[in-house]
Amino acid sequence: MSDRSLLRDLPRLALLTLLGLLILMPYIWMIAASLKPLDEIFRASLSLLPERFYAVQNYGKVFAKVPVWRYLWNGVVVCGGILFFQLLFAVPAGYALAKLRFPGSGIAFGAVMLGLLVPYHVPALPLYVGFSQLGLLNSYTALIAPATISVFAIFLFRQFFKSLPDDLIHAARMDGLGEAEIVWRIVLPNAWPAATAFAIFSVVAHWNDLFWPLIAVNGTQYATPALGVLYFRSDEAGDDFGSLMAAAVLMTAPLVLAFLLAQRRFIEGIATTGLKG
């Protein structure tokens, strides 16, 4: 990059840096608060660096009072299970809507679009009653099953598959591949950017979800990370916001690490998932 180009882009880079810091400020403050004693957190003057380093006490209390690894494992199982089934259903559905011609395809896509308008909270009551009658509450099944079909995933993959050349599909059919083989052996390997982008959306949404786990789970055995922080707030932390922020840092750290590792694919997936009709 030349000096003239860098000078021309400097205002834009400065603005983006400022906006990025504003967005990250709550997370930065959370990390700073997890390193401080309680009397330093609520001072009138704002200082990110602690005068007394209190990380050992705050994080030590979390590991002593909270089954951290159980909550994290529950989060991995729930988010991994949800993502697996979402991809299992959404990839073939998106392919069918994008590349196949069948009666009612327009109506089916319209139903998908209408599904995007249904709030997540609407089916919670009938789902709770159904799982209760089946005796499936307080289990991984109750946490995973309601989110296995994602209309957003179907829409996302449909838009991405629209951009794939039809010649690729025709060539696979001429080689004798069936539609299922085309989906999993040809189409999906070309859709990894979109799959990675959706995986980030899905994992972040369900890792941080508190609404449905609070309804479906009772106790710590199947509690997800967000629910675990709530239990810690109610039972152990009380008004000790230093240790509460330490628990929040531990529960969100895997998300930050996963995003940093997948950010290139995430940006590529968002950029290449067009809005072709």
Side-chain angles (χ1 to χ4, degrees), residues 164 168-169 172 177 180-191:
L164 292 179
L168 180 66
I169 309 299
L177 297 182
E181 290 178 300
I182 292 174
V183 169
W184 301 113
R185 293 177 58 184
I186 305 298
V187 173
L188 182 59
N190 286 281

Side-chain angles (χ1 to χ4, degrees), residues 20-272:
L21 288 175
L22 288 176
I23 294 173
L24 289 174
M25 187 53 66
Y27 193 78
I28 295 173
W29 185 89
M30 180 176 69
I31 296 175
S34 72
L35 307 177
K36 297 178 179 181
L38 183 62
D39 60 340
E40 290 187 29
I41 295 177
F42 294 104
R43 286 183 178 178
S45 59
L46 177 62
S47 175
L48 294 178
L49 298 178
E51 295 179 6
R52 289 181 296 156
F53 193 72
Y54 221 68
V56 174
Q57 291 86 340
N58 289 335
Y59 285 90
K61 182 176 181 180
V62 174
F63 280 104
K65 301 292 185 180
V66 177
V68 174
W69 302 115
R70 178 187 298 170
Y71 293 155
L72 293 177
W73 173 248
N74 289 341
V76 170
V77 171
V78 171
C79 292
I82 289 174
L83 180 61
F84 172 78
F85 285 108
Q86 284 179 336
L87 294 177
L88 183 66
F89 295 127
V91 172
Y95 169 77
L97 291 173
K99 294 300 182 182
L100 301 183
R101 298 294 177 263
F102 57 90
S105 60
I107 297 175
F109 181 63
V112 171
M113 298 301 292
L114 287 175
L116 290 171
L117 302 178
V118 179
Y120 176 59
H121 309 81
V122 170
L125 182 57
L127 284 172
Y128 175 80
V129 173
F131 282 119
S132 177
Q133 292 179 348
L134 293 172
L136 294 176
L137 290 177
N138 203 37
S139 67
Y140 286 134
T141 302
L143 292 170
I144 294 173
T148 52
I149 298 179
S150 170
V151 290
F152 173 70
I154 296 173
F155 171 75
L156 183 73
F157 282 111
R158 187 259 185 189
Q159 297 304 108
F160 187 88
F161 294 155
K162 272 285 187 181
S163 64
L164 292 179
D166 293 335
D167 293 341
L168 180 66
I169 309 299
H170 296 327
R173 288 172 182 159
M174 292 180 64
D175 287 339
L177 297 182
E179 297 299 331
E181 290 178 300
I182 292 174
V183 169
W184 301 113
R185 293 177 58 184
I186 305 298
V187 173
L188 182 59
N190 286 281
W192 279 122
T196 304
F198 173 72
I200 294 293
F201 283 124
S202 176
V203 170
V204 169
H206 294 100
W207 187 278
N208 292 325
D209 183 29
L210 182 60
F211 175 75
W212 178 247
L214 191 60
I215 296 174
V217 170
N218 181 23
T220 61
Q221 183 177 1
Y222 297 101
T224 55
L227 191 57
V229 173
L230 181 64
Y231 286 158
F232 180 60
R233 168 71 176 85
S234 302
D235 299 335
E236 302 292 347
D239 294 328
D240 187 357
F241 287 96
S243 59
L244 185 61
M245 292 300 103
V249 169
L250 291 172
M251 297 305 171
T252 56
L255 286 182
V256 177
L257 179 62
F259 179 78
L260 291 176
L261 293 175
Q263 61 176 327
R264 181 175 298 179
R265 284 295 185 95
F266 175 77
I267 296 171
E268 183 182 353
I270 295 300
T272 57

